[in-house]
Protein backbone atom coordinates (compact mmCIF):
# COMPACT_ATOMS: atom_id res chain seq x y z
CA UNK A 1 0.00 0.00 0.00
CA UNK A 2 1.31 3.44 -0.93
CA UNK A 3 1.82 5.98 1.84
CA UNK A 4 -0.34 8.54 0.01
CA UNK A 5 -3.20 7.85 -2.40
CA UNK A 6 -4.57 10.45 -4.79
CA UNK A 7 -7.12 10.06 -7.57
CA UNK A 8 -5.25 10.97 -10.78
CA UNK A 9 -8.36 12.22 -12.55
CA UNK A 10 -8.43 13.82 -15.03
CA UNK A 11 -10.97 16.28 -13.67
CA UNK A 12 -12.71 18.70 -16.00
CA UNK A 13 -14.97 21.51 -14.69
CA UNK A 14 -16.59 24.66 -16.12
CA UNK A 15 -15.21 28.05 -15.14
CA UNK A 16 -16.64 29.27 -11.85
CA UNK A 17 -17.20 25.77 -10.42
CA UNK A 18 -16.04 24.66 -6.98
CA UNK A 19 -13.32 22.03 -7.26
CA UNK A 20 -12.63 19.41 -4.61
CA UNK A 21 -9.34 17.51 -4.63
CA UNK A 22 -8.58 14.78 -2.12
CA UNK A 23 -5.86 12.53 -0.77
CA UNK A 24 -5.86 9.70 1.74
CA UNK A 25 -2.89 8.40 3.67
CA UNK A 26 -1.94 5.47 5.86
CA UNK A 27 0.76 6.83 8.20
CA UNK A 28 -0.84 8.34 11.29
CA UNK A 29 2.50 9.99 12.16
CA UNK A 30 2.18 12.56 9.36
CA UNK A 31 1.93 16.04 10.86
CA UNK A 32 2.55 18.47 8.00
CA UNK A 33 0.31 18.58 4.94
CA UNK A 34 0.87 20.48 1.73
CA UNK A 35 -0.73 21.08 -1.64
CA UNK A 36 1.40 21.87 -4.67
CA UNK A 37 0.37 23.05 -8.12
CA UNK A 38 2.36 21.97 -11.16
CA UNK A 39 1.91 23.51 -14.58
CA UNK A 40 3.03 21.64 -17.66
CA UNK A 41 6.82 21.63 -18.08
CA UNK A 42 7.33 23.34 -14.71
CA UNK A 43 8.29 22.22 -11.24
CA UNK A 44 5.69 22.04 -8.44
CA UNK A 45 4.98 25.27 -6.51
CA UNK A 46 3.62 25.33 -2.98
CA UNK A 47 -0.03 26.40 -2.68
CA UNK A 48 -1.06 25.55 0.86
CA UNK A 49 0.75 24.35 3.98
CA UNK A 50 -1.04 23.16 7.12
CA UNK A 51 0.00 21.60 10.39
CA UNK A 52 -2.12 18.86 11.99
CA UNK A 53 -5.92 18.91 11.68
CA UNK A 54 -8.18 21.81 10.73
CA UNK A 55 -8.85 24.24 7.93
CA UNK A 56 -6.75 26.92 6.30
CA UNK A 57 -8.00 29.46 3.80
CA UNK A 58 -6.02 31.57 1.35
CA UNK A 59 -8.05 33.52 -1.18
CA UNK A 60 -9.99 31.08 -3.34
CA UNK A 61 -8.18 28.08 -1.84
CA UNK A 62 -9.14 26.15 1.31
CA UNK A 63 -7.17 23.21 2.68
CA UNK A 64 -8.75 20.76 5.12
CA UNK A 65 -7.05 18.07 7.17
CA UNK A 66 -8.97 15.34 8.98
CA UNK A 67 -6.38 13.28 10.84
CA UNK A 68 -8.98 10.96 12.36
CA UNK A 69 -9.99 9.84 8.86
CA UNK A 70 -6.48 10.24 7.38
CA UNK A 71 -7.98 12.43 4.67
CA UNK A 72 -7.00 15.82 3.29
CA UNK A 73 -8.79 18.06 0.80
CA UNK A 74 -8.17 21.14 -1.27
CA UNK A 75 -11.13 23.24 -2.37
CA UNK A 76 -10.89 25.82 -5.14
CA UNK A 77 -13.73 28.32 -5.33
CA UNK A 78 -14.67 30.25 -8.47
CA UNK A 79 -12.27 28.17 -10.54
CA UNK A 80 -10.47 29.91 -13.40
CA UNK A 81 -8.86 28.58 -16.60
CA UNK A 82 -5.51 29.58 -15.07
CA UNK A 83 -6.14 26.96 -12.35
CA UNK A 84 -5.72 24.25 -14.99
CA UNK A 85 -2.73 22.24 -13.74
CA UNK A 86 -1.81 19.10 -11.85
CA UNK A 87 -2.36 19.29 -8.08
CA UNK A 88 -0.13 17.25 -5.80
CA UNK A 89 -0.70 16.56 -2.14
CA UNK A 90 2.29 15.98 0.12
CA UNK A 91 2.81 15.15 3.76
CA UNK A 92 5.62 14.53 6.18
CA UNK A 93 6.87 13.54 9.58
CA UNK A 94 9.33 16.06 11.09
CA UNK A 95 12.91 15.04 10.44
CA UNK A 96 11.92 12.81 7.58
CA UNK A 97 11.20 12.99 3.87
CA UNK A 98 8.09 14.34 2.16
CA UNK A 99 5.65 11.83 0.65
CA UNK A 100 3.71 12.92 -2.43
CA UNK A 101 0.53 11.75 -4.09
CA UNK A 102 0.58 10.97 -7.81
CA UNK A 103 -1.26 14.20 -8.64
CA UNK A 104 -4.72 15.09 -10.00
CA UNK A 105 -4.92 16.70 -13.42
CA UNK A 106 -7.48 19.56 -13.48
CA UNK A 107 -8.84 21.38 -16.53
CA UNK A 108 -11.09 24.42 -16.09
CA UNK A 109 -13.09 25.06 -19.24
CA UNK A 110 -13.87 28.71 -20.10
CA UNK B 1 16.29 36.01 -5.56
CA UNK B 2 16.95 33.53 -8.32
CA UNK B 3 15.03 30.27 -8.07
CA UNK B 4 16.29 26.72 -8.18
CA UNK B 5 18.03 25.97 -11.45
CA UNK B 6 18.60 22.59 -13.02
CA UNK B 7 20.78 21.63 -15.95
CA UNK B 8 20.39 20.27 -18.48
CA UNK B 9 16.65 20.61 -19.06
CA UNK B 10 16.45 17.69 -21.47
CA UNK B 11 18.60 14.61 -22.02
CA UNK B 12 18.44 11.60 -24.27
CA UNK B 13 20.60 8.61 -23.37
CA UNK B 14 20.76 4.95 -24.31
CA UNK B 15 20.53 1.94 -22.02
CA UNK B 16 23.74 1.20 -20.17
CA UNK B 17 25.04 4.76 -20.25
CA UNK B 18 25.39 6.97 -17.21
CA UNK B 19 24.13 10.49 -16.66
CA UNK B 20 24.86 13.39 -14.31
CA UNK B 21 22.27 16.03 -13.49
CA UNK B 22 23.01 19.32 -11.76
CA UNK B 23 21.03 21.48 -9.35
CA UNK B 24 21.79 24.95 -8.01
CA UNK B 25 19.66 25.81 -4.95
CA UNK B 26 18.28 29.19 -3.95
CA UNK B 27 20.99 31.35 -2.43
CA UNK B 28 21.23 30.65 1.30
CA UNK B 29 19.53 27.25 1.09
CA UNK B 30 21.67 24.41 2.37
CA UNK B 31 19.39 21.44 1.76
CA UNK B 32 18.85 19.87 -1.64
CA UNK B 33 16.44 17.00 -2.27
CA UNK B 34 16.05 14.99 -5.45
CA UNK B 35 12.85 13.39 -6.73
CA UNK B 36 11.90 11.19 -9.66
CA UNK B 37 8.51 11.97 -11.22
CA UNK B 38 6.73 9.48 -13.49
CA UNK B 39 3.06 9.37 -14.55
CA UNK B 40 2.36 6.13 -12.70
CA UNK B 41 4.33 6.66 -9.50
CA UNK B 42 4.19 10.42 -9.03
CA UNK B 43 7.02 12.09 -7.12
CA UNK B 44 9.30 9.61 -5.44
CA UNK B 45 11.99 10.76 -3.04
CA UNK B 46 15.55 9.83 -4.02
CA UNK B 47 17.74 11.51 -1.38
CA UNK B 48 18.42 14.70 0.51
CA UNK B 49 21.74 16.42 1.09
CA UNK B 50 22.52 18.95 3.77
CA UNK B 51 25.95 20.49 4.34
CA UNK B 52 27.56 18.03 1.90
CA UNK B 53 26.17 14.98 3.77
CA UNK B 54 23.33 12.69 2.75
CA UNK B 55 20.71 13.12 5.45
CA UNK B 56 17.80 11.04 4.11
CA UNK B 57 17.51 8.39 1.43
CA UNK B 58 14.58 6.87 -0.44
CA UNK B 59 14.14 3.34 -1.76
CA UNK B 60 16.11 3.49 -4.99
CA UNK B 61 18.89 1.13 -6.11
CA UNK B 62 22.54 2.02 -5.68
CA UNK B 63 22.74 3.06 -9.35
CA UNK B 64 21.30 6.36 -8.15
CA UNK B 65 23.80 8.46 -6.25
CA UNK B 66 24.34 12.07 -5.42
CA UNK B 67 26.66 14.55 -3.85
CA UNK B 68 26.65 18.10 -2.61
CA UNK B 69 29.41 20.64 -2.85
CA UNK B 70 30.49 23.25 -0.33
CA UNK B 71 28.48 25.94 -2.18
CA UNK B 72 25.34 23.74 -1.72
CA UNK B 73 25.12 22.89 -5.42
CA UNK B 74 24.23 19.25 -5.92
CA UNK B 75 24.67 16.63 -8.59
CA UNK B 76 22.80 13.39 -9.13
CA UNK B 77 24.27 10.48 -11.04
CA UNK B 78 22.53 7.48 -12.53
CA UNK B 79 24.75 4.67 -13.77
CA UNK B 80 23.86 1.81 -16.11
CA UNK B 81 20.68 3.47 -17.31
CA UNK B 82 17.54 1.38 -17.78
CA UNK B 83 14.46 2.18 -19.85
CA UNK B 84 12.48 2.60 -16.63
CA UNK B 85 14.73 5.48 -15.57
CA UNK B 86 12.99 7.72 -18.13
CA UNK B 87 11.38 10.39 -15.98
CA UNK B 88 11.38 14.00 -14.88
CA UNK B 89 14.04 14.51 -12.22
CA UNK B 90 13.22 17.34 -9.85
CA UNK B 91 15.46 19.08 -7.41
CA UNK B 92 14.10 21.01 -4.43
CA UNK B 93 15.93 23.29 -2.03
CA UNK B 94 15.16 24.51 1.48
CA UNK B 95 16.96 26.30 4.28
CA UNK B 96 17.75 22.92 5.79
CA UNK B 97 17.34 23.45 9.51
CA UNK B 98 14.16 21.37 9.82
CA UNK B 99 13.78 18.50 7.33
CA UNK B 100 10.22 17.43 6.73
CA UNK B 101 8.95 20.78 8.01
CA UNK B 102 10.42 23.57 5.91
CA UNK B 103 8.96 24.61 2.60
CA UNK B 104 10.72 23.11 -0.40
CA UNK B 105 11.19 25.12 -3.57
CA UNK B 106 11.36 23.11 -6.76
CA UNK B 107 13.35 23.63 -9.92
CA UNK B 108 11.88 23.08 -13.39
CA UNK B 109 13.32 19.58 -13.63
CA UNK B 110 15.47 17.63 -16.06
CA UNK B 111 13.54 15.39 -18.43
CA UNK B 112 15.53 12.22 -19.11
CA UNK B 113 14.63 9.86 -21.91
CA UNK B 114 16.41 6.50 -22.04
CA UNK B 115 16.26 4.68 -25.39
Amino acid sequence: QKEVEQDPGPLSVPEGAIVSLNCTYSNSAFQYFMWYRQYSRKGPELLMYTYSSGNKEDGRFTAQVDKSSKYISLFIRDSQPSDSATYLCAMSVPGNQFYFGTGTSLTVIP
Amino acid sequence: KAGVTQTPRYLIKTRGQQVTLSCSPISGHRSVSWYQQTPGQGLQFLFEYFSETQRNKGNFPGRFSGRQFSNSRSEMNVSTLELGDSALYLCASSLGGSPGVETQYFGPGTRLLVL
Side-chain angles (χ1 to χ4, degrees):
Chain A
Q1 185 187 6
K2 290 183 109 173
E3 298 268 5
V4 181
E5 299 280 357
Q6 183 175 9
D7 186 341
L11 190 59
S12 185
V13 301
E15 183 175 353
I18 296 174
V19 176
S20 172
L21 304 168
N22 311 294
C23 288
T24 58
Y25 62 95
S26 56
N27 187 349
S28 58
F30 285 142
Q31 294 184 30
Y32 293 89
F33 303 89
M34 290 132 273
W35 286 94
Y36 284 83
R37 177 176 61 196
Q38 185 176 20
Y39 291 114
S40 181
R41 303 185 194 285
K42 302 275 190 182
E45 57 175 331
L46 183 68
L47 265 182
M48 301 289 284
Y49 184 110
T50 54
Y51 169 70
S52 195
S53 282
N55 294 358
K56 183 175 182 178
E57 189 173 316
D58 184 1
R60 296 185 295 111
F61 299 90
T62 300
Q64 285 186 353
V65 175
D66 182 349
K67 291 191 73 177
S68 62
S69 302
K70 297 192 182 72
Y71 189 88
I72 71 171
S73 301
L74 177 71
F75 297 96
I76 307 174
R77 290 183 299 281
D78 186 26
S79 55
Q80 303 295 308
S82 58
D83 295 328
S84 298
T86 296
Y87 290 80
L88 301 150
C89 63
M91 45 202 80
S92 68
V93 176
N96 213 315
Q97 67 188 76
F98 291 91
Y99 291 87
F100 284 80
T102 51
T104 299
S105 175
L106 170 68
T107 301
V108 180
I109 303 165
Chain B
K1 251 186 191 179
V4 178
T5 58
Q6 292 187 245
T7 57
R9 293 293 310 276
Y10 303 93
L11 265 180
I12 299 176
K13 293 284 187 179
T14 55
R15 277 180 298 174
Q17 286 188 310
Q18 75 162 13
V19 67
T20 299
L21 312 181
S22 180
C23 171
S24 292
I26 291 171
S27 178
H29 285 193
R30 295 167 63 194
S31 169
V32 172
S33 297
W34 288 91
Y35 295 86
Q36 181 194 68
Q37 186 176 32
T38 57
Q41 298 296 318
L43 261 82
Q44 292 186 282
F45 174 74
L46 282 154
F47 30 66
E48 184 221 357
Y49 283 86
F50 175 74
S51 291
E52 302 179 65
T53 301
Q54 189 179 86
R55 187 160 62 176
N56 279 304
K57 188 178 186 305
N59 296 323
F60 277 81
R63 299 185 297 107
F64 292 83
S65 63
R67 60 176 175 167
Q68 187 179 34
F69 302 95
S70 58
N71 62 357
S72 295
R73 190 177 69 84
S74 178
E75 287 183 347
M76 190 193 101
N77 185 274
V78 187
S79 62
T80 319
L81 283 166
E82 300 177 0
L83 296 179
D85 296 333
S86 295
L88 181 67
Y89 289 88
L90 290 159
C91 158
S93 78
S94 66
L95 288 169
S98 302
V101 176
E102 293 172 346
T103 299
Q104 291 190 314
Y105 297 86
F106 283 85
T110 294
R111 188 163 296 280
L112 172 65
L113 177 62
V114 182
L115 301 175

